[in-house]
Amino acid sequence: MNLLPHQYPSIAYYSVLMAILIALTGCQQSPKAIGTIEGGKVADGNIALPCKFGEDKTTTTATDKSRIILTLDGSASMVGYAKDGNSHYVQTLKLLDRVSLAAPGGVEYARIDTGRRSIDRTEFQKSFGAGFYTGQTSRLADTFPDLKTVKGEQLIAVVTDLQPDDGDVNAVSKRILEDYLKKDGYAVAIWGIGSEFEGKVYPPNNAPAYDYAGKSTATSRPFYILLVGKYEAISEFTKTIRSADSSSLLKDRSQLTIFTADRTIANPSYLAASEDNLPKGITSPDSLSQDRFSMENGEQPIQFLEVNENSNSDKQALKYTLKYQANPDTAAPNQLEPRYQVRKYNEEKEKPAFVDRSDKSLLDINSSLVDDKLGVEMKFDPEKIDRGLYYVTADLTARSIQAPAVWKEWDDGGKKDGSKTQGLNDFLNSLSINTTSVMKEKSPVVARLCYGIQRN
């Protein structure tokens, strides 16, 4: 076909116009959803899928300003620990003194028997001998002042045999609960240490005293250091004690547990690869895409699941083993409860978004915690999932804790065994119950599971 000369500019114009349109069309990117750290942002037009938690703003270092309040039980039931001037008890007091003197916040000394009173260091050093322990009663609950009356931050360290004369260890636990555990970031630790002992054991509730002598590791009588204050201060103090323990006082018979409502977890756990093969009709691609809209993980621990029409009609299950990342020495949760957030892509072109669904029954997650292993089983029913794209997060929250089982070996069970402590289980159970009551409001997240699901 021959073209007239005046037709050439028209053809050139339309060719350029088409090229521009094609180029613009190629440059236009469809919106997509991208995994982010919680609070993170994505480019305009895209949708953020928050998964990992951001930096914990609540964690602070309290040791630089916490004043150590070193308090001694001065009742007569402590005499047996100090008859041997080189006992583990006396050596531990000296260790506590050395570490406390070096504390950046300084140290104060106190004595508890019929009540609490401040003492100077000269009087504290008398506790290295039996003559210090002349008190007729031991009112441990009075050791812990109301925080409202305290100026500055304190770490209270109480050395005692946990045998208050009124026998009411629950009163001690209740005082700790009301004045400390309910406050953000506070904790209580119990540190049991075996020591040589020769003297009378005074059981609680004014039960008859009995003689006891224990000079070996197997027969040593335990005493306890109660630590109450900010979790970070307790953690740093115990690390320093262990580091300064050049005589290995804490090596043979020692047990430490920290009770805290909101510092149990060092870091939440996140999804790892499923241990089992995927069920029939289920695939786990690197991304999801439907109607030109895509979901990408953005290097977040999001598992994508694509549910096809030929998937099994029965409920499917995926199993995982995650590492439980606890803070050292903290009492572990014995009950984890899943908390779900289910969102579905709304497919609206003008304002695409993932919209919360009131129905949270898309997934069913069960978990178990054994030592440092967190077993997780995720179940879902393909037939109950409508076509579309979903983003689901499940937070496994700690709802209760319990003291380690090893502490049961430290309780005498009412058998007048001087190598153990009467009423210890009651005290530990009380601490567990009180900490659990606080956890119902604070509920630390042990693990977060993030899923992108596509139903074809």
Side-chain angles (χ1 to χ4, degrees):
M1 180 177 66
N2 294 325
L3 298 176
L4 297 175
H6 70 274
Q7 290 178 302
Y8 284 102
S10 177
I11 292 173
Y13 171 78
Y14 283 113
S15 297
V16 172
L17 181 61
M18 289 299 295
I20 293 173
L21 290 174
I22 291 171
L24 288 175
T25 303
C27 291
Q28 288 180 344
Q29 296 182 351
S30 299
K32 57 186 176 182
I34 305 173
T36 66
I37 293 176
E38 195 168 83
K41 297 180 180 180
V42 294
D44 290 344
N46 294 330
I47 301 171
L49 301 177
C51 183
K52 276 191 173 182
F53 290 97
E55 182 181 354
D56 185 1
K57 302 297 184 182
T58 64
T59 301
T60 58
T61 302
T63 51
D64 289 341
K65 51 187 175 180
S66 289
R67 190 168 184 80
I68 308 298
I69 311 298
L70 189 50
T71 305
L72 300 182
D73 183 343
S75 64
S77 65
M78 305 291 290
V79 171
Y81 296 109
K83 282 188 176 179
D84 178 353
N86 197 41
S87 68
H88 275 54
Y89 173 79
V90 173
Q91 290 186 68
T92 301
L93 291 185
K94 294 178 180 180
L95 175 61
L96 288 170
D97 184 35
R98 291 197 302 273
V99 171
S100 299
L101 282 170
V107 59
E108 295 179 11
Y109 301 93
R111 173 192 173 107
I112 187 76
D113 42 52
T114 55
R116 180 192 180 281
R117 66 179 177 89
S118 296
I119 58 176
D120 59 22
R121 185 163 180 266
T122 300
E123 188 170 355
F124 168 82
Q125 289 177 312
K126 294 179 181 178
S127 67
F128 305 159
F132 178 85
Y133 304 96
T134 57
Q136 298 302 307
T137 60
S138 176
R139 297 180 60 84
L140 286 179
D142 293 343
T143 305
F144 309 102
D146 188 332
L147 278 177
K148 296 176 183 177
T149 66
V150 173
K151 294 182 179 180
E153 293 184 0
Q154 295 183 348
L155 172 59
I156 301 173
V158 186
V159 184
T160 177
D161 61 356
L162 273 181
Q163 303 283 243
D165 294 86
D166 57 11
D168 194 0
V169 290
N170 290 333
V172 179
S173 181
K174 187 174 187 301
R175 177 73 65 87
I176 293 172
L177 167 68
E178 295 297 332
D179 291 336
Y180 297 89
L181 279 179
K182 286 186 176 180
K183 308 294 190 301
D184 288 342
Y186 275 77
V188 57
I190 177 171
W191 201 342
I193 303 166
S195 175
E196 301 81 358
F197 183 93
E198 184 177 0
K200 287 188 177 296
V201 175
Y202 294 84
N205 297 318
N206 297 316
Y210 61 92
D211 293 321
Y212 183 75
K215 298 186 178 181
S216 68
T217 300
T219 62
S220 62
R221 177 163 174 76
F223 67 95
Y224 301 89
I225 306 171
L226 297 181
L227 299 168
V228 180
K230 289 278 191 178
Y231 168 79
E232 289 79 14
I234 291 175
S235 177
E236 190 64 28
F237 187 73
T238 55
K239 286 179 186 177
T240 305
I241 291 291
R242 283 168 165 161
S243 177
D245 181 22
S246 58
S247 301
S248 299
L249 299 172
L250 310 174
K251 180 179 178 181
D252 294 328
R253 192 183 182 193
S254 174
Q255 179 67 34
L256 169 64
T257 299
I258 302 174
F259 293 84
T260 171
D262 55 4
R263 292 292 191 274
T264 305
I265 308 302
N267 293 294
S269 299
Y270 298 97
L271 274 178
S274 174
E275 291 182 349
D276 296 346
N277 293 326
L278 294 170
K280 180 181 178 181
I282 309 294
T283 58
S284 183
D286 293 333
S287 62
L288 299 177
S289 179
Q290 187 167 283
D291 298 333
R292 298 187 68 231
F293 180 82
S294 63
M295 297 176 67
E296 301 175 2
N297 63 25
E299 299 184 352
Q300 290 292 300
I302 302 172
Q303 182 173 19
F304 291 124
L305 299 173
E306 187 170 0
V307 184
N308 298 309
E309 293 181 357
N310 63 342
S311 59
N312 295 338
S313 59
D314 296 333
K315 186 171 274 194
Q316 307 289 358
L318 299 177
K319 294 182 179 180
Y320 312 85
T321 299
L322 311 179
K323 183 173 178 59
Y324 170 61
Q325 302 183 76
N327 274 318
D329 302 308
T330 53
N334 64 344
Q335 180 186 8
L336 298 180
E337 182 177 286
R339 187 173 60 215
Y340 303 97
Q341 182 181 33
V342 179
R343 292 184 285 171
K344 185 180 182 183
Y345 181 58
N346 67 3
E347 300 183 21
E348 292 183 6
K349 294 183 179 179
E350 294 183 0
K351 192 178 180 181
F354 278 81
V355 180
D356 285 342
R357 285 172 47 124
S358 58
D359 179 13
K360 306 297 184 184
S361 62
L362 200 66
L363 306 181
D364 181 17
I365 292 178
N366 296 302
S367 61
S368 61
L369 181 60
V370 179
D371 297 327
D372 64 342
K373 302 297 183 184
L374 177 60
V376 177
E377 183 179 58
M378 188 272 276
K379 296 180 180 179
F380 63 97
D381 187 345
E383 289 191 344
K384 292 183 178 180
I385 305 176
D386 298 330
R387 181 185 181 279
L389 292 171
Y390 299 82
Y391 185 60
V392 183
T393 59
D395 289 343
L396 299 181
T397 61
R399 303 294 288 175
S400 64
I401 62 171
Q402 62 181 12
V406 67
W407 279 114
K408 294 180 180 179
E409 301 172 7
W410 293 59
D411 187 279
D412 80 342
K415 297 179 181 179
K416 292 187 176 182
D417 182 348
S419 68
K420 300 181 180 182
T421 302
Q422 185 172 330
L424 178 63
N425 280 342
D426 291 339
F427 180 64
L428 292 170
N429 288 337
S430 180
L431 285 177
S432 297
I433 292 170
N434 289 340
T435 306
T436 294
S437 69
V438 180
M439 292 176 76
K440 290 180 180 179
E441 297 180 1
K442 298 184 179 181
S443 299
V445 176
V446 173
R448 169 168 283 184
L449 316 178
C450 305
Y451 295 97
I453 300 176
Q454 176 178 339
R455 183 66 162 96
N456 296 324

